[in-house]
Amino acid sequence: MKKIPLLLKIVIAVILGVMTGTFAPLVVIQLSATFNQIFGSFLSFIVPLIIIGFIVPGIGSLSQDAGKLLGMTTLTAYLSSIIAGIFAFSVARLLYPKMLHLTMMKNISDPSEGLVKSLLSIEIPPIMDVMTALVLSFMIGLGLSTLKSNQLFQVFDEFQSIVVWTLQKAIIPLLPFHIFGIFANMTYAGQVQTILSIFAKVFLMIIFLHIIYLIFLYSVAGSMNKKNPFFLLKTMAPAYFTAVGTQSSAATIPVTLQQAKKAGISERIVDFVIPLCANIHLAGSTITLVSCSMAILFMKDHLPNFGEMFPFILVLGIIMIAAPGVPGGAVMAATGPLASILGFDAAMISLIIALYLAQDSFGTACNVTGDGAIATIVDAIANRTSKKKLV
């Protein structure tokens, strides 16, 4: 039996949620709100574990493959995510007051206002807060990288497998039910028209930003390697459309490798950089998360300034390097800084998960297509470095 794609499940959950909120009695909404409260509490519990499970092995493994090429690629990928985040912030800051203002004027603005409360409240306190998890992850990861403790590294590597298993078997399968509940609740409270209208506008803007950022990234790569950026983009186009169809960076790696070599990038660089960037370069996801988070904050009558968003973008860049490679993994890993830095509550996190998953295919396509540009940039830097050594 063919498995239903996650995106289709999300769409069905939204439609059923709207229908349930329109026609179902209050007790049904209360039951779905109760599920959401318990699920949200479990989500808060697992977020620090996601951070530890992915950042510690990610940093700890750097010395195992070590070398300047690894550091160069990781730094380039991180800078790309930071620039993407700043770009998304700048556009959202400029457009949202005009683009979303009329919708907001006609409807209530706060997405958590008027929601039905759960029948009972079960709290699952996290073992530590998000910032503690981040600092601890860096401390242990850098320690593993320096001391080269294979035994301890294996422990955290296996712990990562447990976290991935939990995401794949519990969190991701239950997300459609969670989204169903939040849309049923919002419809019952009379807010769903506002939310869907804003979602549609933000979705279109995000796709546009992905394309603009890819043009920028390939322009930089082309100028550094003296290649036509539009030739590079055209060559990498099959990887983009493959990612849209598969919604998986890993599944697209063979196509990305093939097209990057056709673009004239050094085979040695391609074979190293492309598989690595499939896991650490998520500029498209960064654009989506920054754009969505600002839209949801704007719905609460607050458009954050650069000083408020920049710390989030910096942390998000690190989170993206360590994000789990499963559908929706990036947004799940980002729930920590969304809550701790931007102050997102459970309802706001549910909204951003729904909006993120709706465009996940296009975000993944932007990520993997950008990997070709990163490989081109790293190739140019490596060539210049080798020439200097010869001189």
Side-chain angles (χ1 to χ4, degrees):
M1 185 176 178
K2 192 175 180 180
K3 188 176 180 181
I4 301 175
L6 179 61
L7 177 58
L8 181 57
K9 291 180 182 178
I10 299 301
V11 172
I12 293 172
V14 171
I15 294 172
L16 291 178
V18 172
M19 292 175 61
T20 301
T22 303
F23 301 107
L26 175 60
V27 65
V28 175
I29 310 301
Q30 289 175 321
L31 288 172
S32 65
T34 302
F35 169 81
N36 280 4
Q37 190 280 322
I38 297 171
F39 181 83
S41 185
F42 179 65
L43 193 58
S44 299
F45 166 79
I46 200 174
V47 164
L49 304 181
I50 292 174
I51 291 171
I52 293 172
F54 285 92
I55 291 184
V56 172
I59 297 176
S61 65
L62 294 182
S63 65
Q64 296 181 3
D65 300 311
K68 293 181 180 179
L69 189 59
L70 178 63
M72 189 191 311
T73 305
T74 303
L75 179 61
T76 305
Y78 179 69
L79 289 176
S80 174
S81 294
I82 297 304
I83 294 169
I86 294 173
F87 170 57
F89 162 80
S90 302
V91 174
R93 180 84 183 177
L94 177 67
L95 295 185
Y96 282 177
K98 298 176 182 178
M99 187 173 79
L100 305 181
H101 180 68
L102 291 178
T103 302
M104 300 298 298
M105 288 289 289
K106 296 176 182 177
N107 300 276
I108 56 176
S109 57
D110 188 340
S112 61
E113 186 178 329
L115 294 181
V116 174
K117 304 300 180 184
S118 64
L119 294 170
L120 58 92
S121 179
I122 297 177
E123 298 296 334
I124 310 174
I127 59 175
M128 64 184 73
D129 61 36
V130 171
M131 290 310 298
T132 301
L134 277 171
V135 173
L136 180 64
S137 297
F138 273 96
M139 184 185 78
I140 298 175
L142 290 172
L144 290 174
S145 177
T146 303
L147 300 175
K148 302 178 181 178
S149 173
N150 292 328
Q151 293 83 0
L152 188 57
F153 178 83
Q154 186 175 355
V155 170
F156 280 98
D157 193 46
E158 291 178 357
F159 177 70
Q160 182 186 74
S161 299
I162 294 172
V163 174
V164 170
W165 182 86
T166 304
L167 285 171
Q168 292 177 331
K169 301 299 181 181
I171 300 295
I172 301 300
L174 289 175
L175 275 178
F177 297 96
H178 186 52
I179 291 169
F180 161 81
I182 197 66
F183 273 88
N185 207 333
M186 287 189 302
T187 303
Y188 190 85
Q191 302 180 46
V192 75
Q193 183 178 355
T194 306
I195 304 298
L196 292 178
S197 175
I198 289 174
F199 272 23
K201 293 176 181 178
V202 173
F203 181 90
L204 292 175
M205 188 193 83
I206 288 170
I207 304 303
F208 178 74
L209 293 184
H210 285 166
I211 296 170
I212 296 299
Y213 185 71
L214 285 175
I215 293 173
F216 162 77
L217 198 58
Y218 274 94
S219 296
V220 172
S223 64
M224 291 181 66
N225 226 349
K226 297 181 180 179
K227 294 180 182 291
N228 185 322
F230 292 100
F231 164 76
L232 292 173
L233 267 172
K234 181 181 177 182
T235 305
M236 296 302 299
Y240 181 93
F241 292 107
T242 301
V244 170
T246 62
Q247 200 177 340
S248 169
S249 298
T252 312
I253 287 176
V255 179
T256 313
L257 284 169
Q258 173 184 291
Q259 298 307 120
K261 291 174 182 177
K262 286 183 179 179
I265 308 169
S266 165
E267 186 168 330
R268 178 180 71 93
I269 297 295
V270 169
D271 289 342
F272 177 83
V273 172
I274 294 299
L276 177 63
C277 282
N279 295 299
I280 69 171
H281 182 234
L282 281 76
S285 298
T286 301
I287 288 172
T288 302
L289 288 166
V290 171
S291 302
C292 293
S293 61
M294 290 189 66
I296 292 171
L297 287 170
F298 187 72
M299 289 162 60
K300 292 179 72 72
D301 294 324
H302 176 63
L303 188 61
N305 57 37
F306 185 73
E308 293 172 283
M309 287 299 295
F310 190 56
F312 172 71
I313 292 171
L314 291 178
V315 173
L316 187 62
I318 298 171
I319 293 292
M320 291 300 96
I321 289 177
V326 296
V331 69
M332 299 307 301
T335 54
L338 283 167
S340 63
I341 299 176
L342 297 184
F344 271 44
D345 58 25
M348 296 164 73
I349 287 175
S350 299
L351 289 176
I352 199 169
I353 289 173
L355 183 50
Y356 179 91
L357 291 176
Q359 65 73 61
D360 197 19
S361 294
F362 296 96
T364 301
C366 181
N367 293 338
V368 300
T369 308
D371 294 347
I374 299 298
T376 306
I377 292 170
V378 172
D379 191 28
I381 296 173
N383 288 336
R384 290 177 186 178
T385 304
S386 60
K387 286 179 182 179
K388 286 182 180 179
K389 286 183 178 179
L390 291 173
V391 174

